[in-house]
Amino acid sequence: MKQIAIIGSGSWGVALATHLANNGHKIKIWSFLEEERDLINNERRCKFLPDLKIPENIVCSTNFEEVIRDTDFILHVTPSKFTRETFKQYKQYVGTKPVIICSKGFERDTMKTLDEVITEEMPEVKVGVLSGPSHAEEVSIALPTLLVVASLDKQVREEVQEAFMCPHMRVYTSTDVKGVELGGALKNIIAFCAGVTAGIGFGDNTFAALITRGLEEISRLGVAIGRKKRNFLWIKWTRRFSCYLFEQT
């Protein structure tokens, strides 16, 4: 059993907490808002996941030190725009604990990836990234899901993988931190555009074209910044599978 700190009480933070708690781990969540803390602790509910009953081995606090103390690792799950500001507030309590970034995006003013933001603030920290094709509401109700954890530290990769793995959760490991971050952040742009095409009434041809070319551009960008092409093979298979689905409908 692990003791795990989760920084952020939004839908993704609570979904990850619920999954890990159901795996038998003891979870402490940090929340920015007292009302969210009280809702989790007193009513065992999350306003972002209204049908979820939060397990009893999850507690929530607005105090960073209380949440992080005596934990094995930290999952950072705040919006990307608040990553640096939030990390500055709790980095004094990190010590040797790994920090696993579960947020997606870039720092707006600097365009740095979030692992760069964390290591800039605390160069000695062990950092990882958790991402995957996953929705918070489905993780929270234990639907089969695949995730990937990336870190340059083998022990961090294996520790996080072991904590998350169960019959309905498959976790792969990678050393390509930047590649995983890019894939997680940039696919949201394509997803947003896909929503626009649906909203203005374009059909399956446009949708498939957008996904196909968007995923190809993500792959090319990753290679251009020094990532290995093989690390983006999953994008090519996703593209082919998407085209197959459209051909069947």
Side-chain angles (χ1 to χ4, degrees):
M1 183 188 75
K2 298 285 186 183
Q3 296 196 66
I4 301 166
I6 296 182
I7 307 299
S9 58
S11 60
W12 191 220
V14 172
L16 293 175
T18 299
H19 170 77
L20 290 165
N22 287 334
N23 265 7
H25 305 295
K26 186 175 180 180
I27 312 300
K28 294 187 284 185
I29 301 176
W30 173 85
S31 178
F32 177 72
L33 297 172
E34 292 183 355
E35 50 264 44
E36 287 186 16
R37 175 201 64 191
D38 294 341
L39 188 65
I40 291 172
N41 289 338
N42 301 331
E43 300 184 36
R44 315 310 298 173
R45 293 193 301 113
C46 170
K47 67 178 182 180
F48 305 108
L49 300 167
D51 297 326
L52 176 66
K53 180 69 173 179
I54 293 176
E56 293 296 327
N57 50 334
I58 295 175
V59 296
C60 188
S61 173
T62 55
N63 183 290
F64 282 117
E65 183 179 12
E66 186 176 298
V67 168
I68 295 171
R69 185 193 308 125
D70 298 326
T71 55
D72 295 292
F73 60 84
I74 301 164
L75 301 183
H76 183 101
V77 204
T78 68
S80 56
K81 63 182 178 180
F82 299 130
T83 291
R84 188 184 296 272
E85 176 187 346
T86 305
F87 186 70
K88 281 183 176 180
Q89 295 180 60
Y90 75 79
K91 67 180 183 181
Q92 61 183 306
Y93 308 118
V94 171
T96 60
K97 298 177 181 65
V99 176
I100 313 302
I101 301 164
C102 305
S103 310
K104 295 182 177 69
F106 304 90
E107 187 173 53
R108 184 177 64 179
D109 294 338
T110 65
M111 290 306 295
K112 293 179 184 293
T113 56
L114 300 185
D115 79 293
E116 291 174 331
V117 171
I118 297 295
T119 54
E120 191 173 80
E121 290 295 326
M122 190 176 180
E124 69 276 18
V125 71
K126 295 179 180 178
V127 69
V129 175
L130 184 74
S131 190
S134 54
H135 287 172
E137 66 276 12
E138 295 186 9
V139 169
S140 71
I141 59 173
L143 293 185
T145 299
L146 180 151
L147 297 175
V148 59
V149 58
S151 177
L152 297 178
D153 189 296
K154 183 174 184 290
Q155 184 177 345
V156 170
R157 297 193 302 268
E158 292 179 349
E159 184 176 22
V160 175
Q161 181 187 45
E162 183 181 1
F164 274 90
M165 286 278 274
C166 71
H168 61 265
M169 174 73 77
R170 179 75 177 177
V171 182
Y172 290 87
T173 63
S174 172
T175 58
D176 187 12
V177 176
K178 286 288 187 295
V180 171
E181 280 203 277
L182 282 172
L186 295 176
K187 62 86 178 168
N188 284 347
I189 300 172
I190 306 303
F192 177 83
C193 293
V196 172
T197 65
I200 61 182
F202 288 162
D204 290 346
N205 289 354
T206 310
F207 190 76
L210 173 67
I211 292 176
T212 299
R213 296 313 306 167
L215 292 175
E216 179 66 22
E217 289 183 15
I218 292 173
S219 179
R220 290 181 179 181
L221 177 59
V223 172
I225 65 167
R227 303 300 95 195
K228 294 185 183 298
K229 192 175 183 65
R230 63 181 173 81
N231 292 334
F232 290 87
L233 288 177
W234 68 272
I235 291 178
K236 296 184 182 298
W237 283 109
T238 302
R239 182 183 67 211
R240 291 170 185 168
F241 185 59
S242 298
C243 292
Y244 170 79
L245 289 180
F246 281 112
E247 288 170 0
Q248 305 306 306
T249 57

